[in-house]
Amino acid sequence: MLLLPATMVHLLLVARSGPARLLGPPPYLPGLEALWSPRALLLWLTWLGLQAALYLLPARKVAEGQELKDKSTLRYPINGFQALVLTALLVSLGVSAGLPVGELAEMLLPLAFVATLTAFIFSLLLYLKALLAPTSTLAPGGNSGNPIYDFFLGRELNPRIRSFDFKYFCELRPGLIGWVLINLALLMKEAELRGSPSLAMWLVNGFQLLYVGDALWQEEAVLTTMDITHDGFGFMLAFGDLAWVPFTYSLQAQFLLYHPQPLGLPMASVICLINAFGFYIFRGANSQKNTFRKNPSDPRVADLETIPTATGRQLLVSGWWGMVRHPNYLGDLIMALAWSLPCGMSHLLPYFYLLYFTALLVHREGRDERQCLQKYGLAWREYCRRVPYRIVPYIY
Ligand SMILES: NC(=O)C1=CN([C@@H]2O[C@H](COP(=O)(O)OP(=O)(O)OC[C@H]3O[C@@H](n4cnc5c(N)ncnc54)[C@H](OP(=O)(O)O)[C@@H]3O)[C@@H](O)[C@H]2O)C=CC1
Ligand SMILES: CC(C)CCC[C@@H](C)[C@H]1CC=C2C3=C(CC[C@@]21C)[C@@]1(C)CC[C@H](O)C[C@@H]1CC3
């Protein structure tokens, strides 16, 4: 809990330092005056308020989540993409009225600090709220009796006030949309400093906007992820969603602002192809599974080979899910590589996301395997026999 915020601050400091050495010591230790700013606090609270207001707007659809322990289901508004578009409109209006969005680039440190503070306070409130929650609403993990462990993992599965779902809100809105807004601010700052944004900055902005736009367009799919169906809402997700995502996922754009990299058109085209290839696998695999889970007789998936399980559900064993057991992770990792390549090969720092993400997905894959083995038993073993590789064909 201390190491994660410290790592984030280290990354922010190193990205703006001359040598930009990921593995070196931080260039300096920031004093409280560099971290604390009432303006950053006000900006951050306004941002959270705006995203909460957009969440409460009428949605194009209200989706039902997975069945809970007590056989009930929760309802979720599907209006994340709408929130992204409305935020973009508001930011465009602000920019045309002279709002200095580029200045955000200089406020990242105090903003990351207030986001971390918010995550700590929020997690504490969530922990206290869980003390009053009925046992049926608690998450399978995160209720060990060890307060530090439970504070980290989160005790309540879907903490809500009326229909406002805190975990679902945080997972997709303030952090994910904040990430692309920070990228945009870095792009505008670069244009201000150097006359126009570099090609590398355009690519990083474009690729990551595509990723975030896609996540919000496919918002309903998040309802079946283990974060929503299995994990409690505690410090790990609160900090991950509110601070880690916007301030470390934008590291490549931060690096480019302080360390401009030459990028020619031929190399840029190759990088675009790599991103497109990763996105094709990522989206293809995710859509195939989502379509199949919604309706196995859908003509787009009806011809795929499957393994029956004792639960009545089937497992896909051909198509994307017959290639490796987590084809979506493979696509995601290929995209992560494409986001770092525009930053050149001179530094390790822009590759931090790729390294961290590999570790996160390998760990996540292990967790998912254990849950699937528990859920599907012998059928899962048969699936593993038929599809022996986890993420990368013939390698892992
Ligand atoms: N950028 C980031 O920081 C992160 C991105 N992600 C991305 O989010 C997306 C969702 O990831 P995540 O929730 O981890 O995992 P998945 O979308 O891969 O979901 C795993 C679930 O899929 C179902 N499943 C597994 N194998 C099969 C099969 N052969 N046939 C049918 N169903 C199967 C099982 O659930 P069931 O059988 O119950 O349906 C399993 O529990 C991924 O694309 C991932 O890359 C994830 C984490 C972080
Ligand atoms: C702080 C820790 C080291 C780890 C925190 C993990 C979180 C940052 C991630 C856990 C699962 C996530 C998902 C996404 C973003 C990152 C977190 C919140 C997506 C929303 C990214 C876009 C994809 O299309 C869907 C993802 C679902 C899981």
Side-chain angles (χ1 to χ4, degrees):
M1 276 186 278
L2 297 178
L3 207 59
L4 282 168
T7 306
M8 181 182 69
V9 170
H10 175 74
L11 293 169
L12 287 173
L13 291 176
V14 170
R16 64 185 56 207
S17 77
R21 285 178 52 213
L22 175 63
L23 300 174
Y28 63 94
L29 282 181
L32 196 59
E33 69 294 341
L35 294 173
W36 173 250
S37 142
R39 203 161 148 242
L41 177 66
L42 186 67
L43 204 63
W44 177 245
L45 294 179
T46 310
W47 177 249
L48 290 182
L50 170 69
Q51 292 308 320
L54 295 176
Y55 176 92
L56 292 171
L57 286 182
R60 71 180 150 103
K61 181 176 174 189
V62 176
E64 291 216 341
Q66 304 277 93
E67 198 177 84
L68 301 172
K69 259 192 259 169
D70 64 1
K71 305 284 172 214
S72 65
T73 48
L74 294 171
R75 290 160 64 79
Y76 297 87
I78 304 298
N79 59 4
F81 194 76
Q82 174 183 315
L84 176 69
V85 172
L86 290 175
T87 307
L89 279 177
L90 287 175
V91 172
S92 314
L93 280 178
V95 170
S96 49
L99 192 76
V101 173
E103 268 187 29
L104 267 185
E106 276 144 29
M107 293 178 69
L108 292 186
L109 207 52
L111 279 172
F113 183 69
V114 292
T116 306
L117 268 186
T118 322
F120 267 108
I121 296 169
F122 191 30
S123 317
L124 187 65
L125 294 175
L126 289 168
Y127 185 88
L128 296 176
K129 180 178 179 305
L131 296 176
L132 306 172
T135 327
S136 63
T137 63
L138 298 182
N143 288 286
S144 65
N146 176 336
I148 298 178
Y149 181 83
D150 296 347
F151 175 83
F152 182 76
L153 273 195
R155 297 197 59 208
E156 220 182 326
L157 185 59
N158 303 294
R160 287 180 160 214
I161 291 186
R162 290 169 177 262
S163 63
F164 195 99
D165 191 297
F166 293 112
K167 187 166 64 169
Y168 176 67
F169 167 71
C170 289
E171 179 106 351
L172 285 168
R173 314 298 177 94
L176 227 50
I177 304 179
W179 169 20
V180 289
L181 180 61
I182 290 174
N183 275 351
L184 174 73
L186 292 157
L187 181 142
M188 292 180 69
K189 189 72 193 171
E190 198 187 35
E192 210 179 294
L193 291 177
R194 306 199 180 97
S196 66
S198 61
L199 182 54
M201 183 68 99
W202 277 118
L203 289 197
V204 167
N205 264 260
F207 294 162
Q208 297 184 350
L209 178 62
L210 171 72
Y211 188 71
V212 169
D214 172 79
L216 293 165
W217 184 254
Q218 306 287 341
E219 192 178 17
E220 204 175 332
V222 94
L223 298 177
T224 54
T225 60
M226 65 174 96
D227 313 81
I228 299 289
T229 61
H230 187 268
D231 296 343
F233 194 28
F235 180 79
M236 183 183 79
L237 279 180
F239 174 78
D241 294 340
L242 298 176
W244 186 258
V245 167
F247 298 101
T248 67
Y249 283 29
S250 59
L251 197 64
Q252 285 103 351
Q254 293 179 42
F255 171 82
L256 286 172
L257 177 64
Y258 299 101
H259 306 86
Q261 300 291 318
L263 182 65
L265 270 184
M267 187 57 190
S269 313
V270 173
I271 297 174
C272 286
L273 282 178
I274 296 176
N275 193 66
F277 180 58
F279 185 73
Y280 174 69
I281 301 177
F282 168 83
R283 181 65 6 249
N286 278 327
S287 296
Q288 195 168 68
K289 175 165 68 75
N290 293 340
T291 309
F292 181 74
R293 279 286 174 250
K294 266 192 205 153
N295 174 17
S297 334
D298 187 304
R300 284 169 293 176
V301 290
D303 291 341
L304 295 174
E305 206 185 330
T306 57
I307 298 178
T309 76
T311 63
R313 290 182 128 195
Q314 295 166 305
L315 290 168
L316 287 168
V317 75
S318 67
W320 288 114
W321 298 80
M323 186 174 79
V324 284
R325 300 207 290 273
H326 272 287
N328 47 353
Y329 290 3
L330 176 65
D332 222 337
L333 285 169
I334 295 174
M335 283 192 283
L337 173 68
W339 300 352
S340 304
L341 287 174
C343 303
M345 299 284 187
S346 56
H347 290 77
L348 185 59
L349 185 72
Y351 292 83
F352 172 80
Y353 177 73
L354 180 62
L355 298 174
Y356 138 82
F357 198 41
T358 305
L360 180 107
L361 290 184
V362 166
H363 179 257
R364 202 172 163 92
E365 190 272 339
R367 282 208 310 153
D368 191 50
E369 290 269 315
R370 283 194 294 281
Q371 282 168 27
C372 285
L373 186 60
Q374 211 173 19
K375 218 172 0 179
Y376 300 125
L378 281 179
W380 186 258
R381 286 198 198 283
E382 170 62 8
Y383 177 51
C384 294
R385 195 189 62 75
R386 301 264 305 262
V387 185
Y389 292 99
R390 295 163 188 261
I391 302 180
V392 188
Y394 304 107
I395 295 181
Y396 178 72

